[in-house]
Amino acid sequence: MWVPHGPYSVGITDLEWEAHPGRPFNDLVRAEHLSARIFYPTAKRSPRPWSWGVSWLPHYNYAKGLGAFFFFRRPLSLINVLARVVLQAFVLVLGWLQRLWMIPGAPLAPALDVGGRPAVIFSHGLGGFRSMYSVPCAELASQGYVVLAVEHADGSSSAARVAGAKDWLYYAGLGGDAGQVDKTRTRVAEMQLALDVLTAMAQGSRLPGRMTLSHGLQASRFLCGSVDLGCVAAAGHSYGGATVAMLAAEDARFKAAIAFDPWWYALPPESAALEAWKTTCPILIMGSYSWNVPNRDGIKVCGERQQERVLQAARHGGGALLFVVRGTSHNTFADPLTLFSGQAGWLLNRLGLSAELDPVQGMGLVNTAALCFLADHLPLGAGTRAAQTWSRAGAWSLLAAHAQGEALKPSKGPLSWLFPGKGLLVTLSDEFLRRAVTSPKAAPKASEAGKDGDVLTGGEAAATVLPSEGAEQGPPAPGSRVNGHHHPAAAVCKVTPTVTQKQADALKELLGEEHIYLAEVYT
């Protein structure tokens, strides 16, 4: 069972809002429906060690959707049908058996500051859904944040539940370049709607239509007076990272932004994130090593030209901090590697979901960087800062499994023959990535790159393998409920409107300079 490491236990509830109850989904337009999961701090005692906790997989349709996503447009054949059924069965069983240390419908912990609690709106990546990033969202909630994880209904989710209906939306492809950027516009509208909904809940007001919360919570009372609307950030991964960049560049209500390994090709050409930001929102861009190391043709899979444009455009706002941790892959930032590498590492490898850096260590570094950046740039109240437990040890707080001799060691499975070679997802994505990075609008000049070649993805682009075992261990996990010991709160950081070199240096020291491949400041 995964246990968050902050001083609070974590509660969850699922939110649905529809502007026109009963109207078919196809008749709705943007910003007329929202499905999401809320992670929040609770003072209620967490489940006992022998409790089942909460399943990582909320519904069996998500297993169905992931199977459809991984085998989208694969040739119809007996072997592919068999592999898809096997994958869906594995996801269903492992996803249900994987439990999370959370309490559905628990009461919200009282705010420690007059203004209320800080909030984060989270955007998932391609093929994701509301619980795909439970580990980072729960870590934020355990440190006092209210996190609203949007389940996008733009067709980019592997499966998405339609608000107020029994219908489900499944992944149906990106729809070409035009369709891809149009989905980003829809995603941004959904993120803005999510903040509108959060605002209404915090103010105790009613939005037109119908809003419901799961597990018996009342939407009109649950967050009333408990969220600081002047202390809201946005975060997202991959497709969600690009979504967050566009959102932060245009919506001044967000005071900080974190983009985990963004897929920059998803940005619409008219986005302020590519030209000049209209806000003063600072952004942390935490890229993966595999997407930010040039391949043999000198191309960065993330979209080097677009990334450089975003970094330069951010100079007109609150600035940007680009961080890359050695050995990380695009999959380091999501739950599957962290939660399932020990049980099904062989399957994840065959799907192309792998990283050179140990996934538990990688997630610890990612969460610590996010907490540090938010503390630097959000106007957190004194009570919230004092309660938080992340510190220098926070970079190692998720390594408790290693200290107990339970390092995650992926092994070959008996059905690995179904996913031969370098992995199904890598194989399927190579051609898509090659087309994206070599299209006329994205292809580098002849002087910048050689002839077309294989696009390296996943762990293939990582040349350095960092140690994940035998490393010097920090103190026990801050706020850990395993041993009942709490460590002193982190030092209070002075809030600054823009990123600075001093902050970058402090973050490098916090994570360990030996882990940092790239750290650049753009102001």
Side-chain angles (χ1 to χ4, degrees), residues 33-85:
H33 54 88
L34 180 71
S35 291
R37 169 161 288 187
I38 302 178
F39 301 78
Y40 57 91
T42 178
K44 185 174 180 180
R45 191 173 182 177
S46 289
R48 298 182 182 276
W50 56 84
S51 170
W52 274 95
V54 176
S55 172
W56 179 79
L57 195 70
H59 195 280
Y60 65 84
N61 277 344
Y62 291 109
K64 176 182 177 182
L66 283 172
F69 173 71
F70 281 112
F71 285 86
F72 184 71
R73 289 184 178 173
R74 291 285 290 174
L76 183 61
S77 64
L78 179 60
I79 188 65
N80 284 335
V81 172
L82 177 60
R84 177 173 173 174
V85 171

Side-chain angles (χ1 to χ4, degrees), residues 364-415:
L365 296 171
V366 167
N367 288 337
T368 301
L371 287 166
C372 181
F373 187 80
L374 293 177
D376 282 342
H377 296 287
L378 285 183
L380 302 179
T384 298
R385 289 186 184 276
Q388 292 186 349
T389 56
W390 66 273
S391 63
R392 169 61 183 169
W396 303 92
S397 65
L398 301 183
L399 294 175
H402 288 271
Q404 298 173 7
E406 298 177 358
L408 302 179
K409 297 180 179 180
S411 59
K412 293 184 177 180
L415 298 177

Side-chain angles (χ1 to χ4, degrees), residues 438-463:
T438 59
S439 62
K441 64 179 182 181
K445 298 178 180 179
S447 60
E448 299 174 345
K451 298 180 179 180
D452 291 347
D454 292 337
V455 175
L456 300 186
T457 59
E460 295 179 6

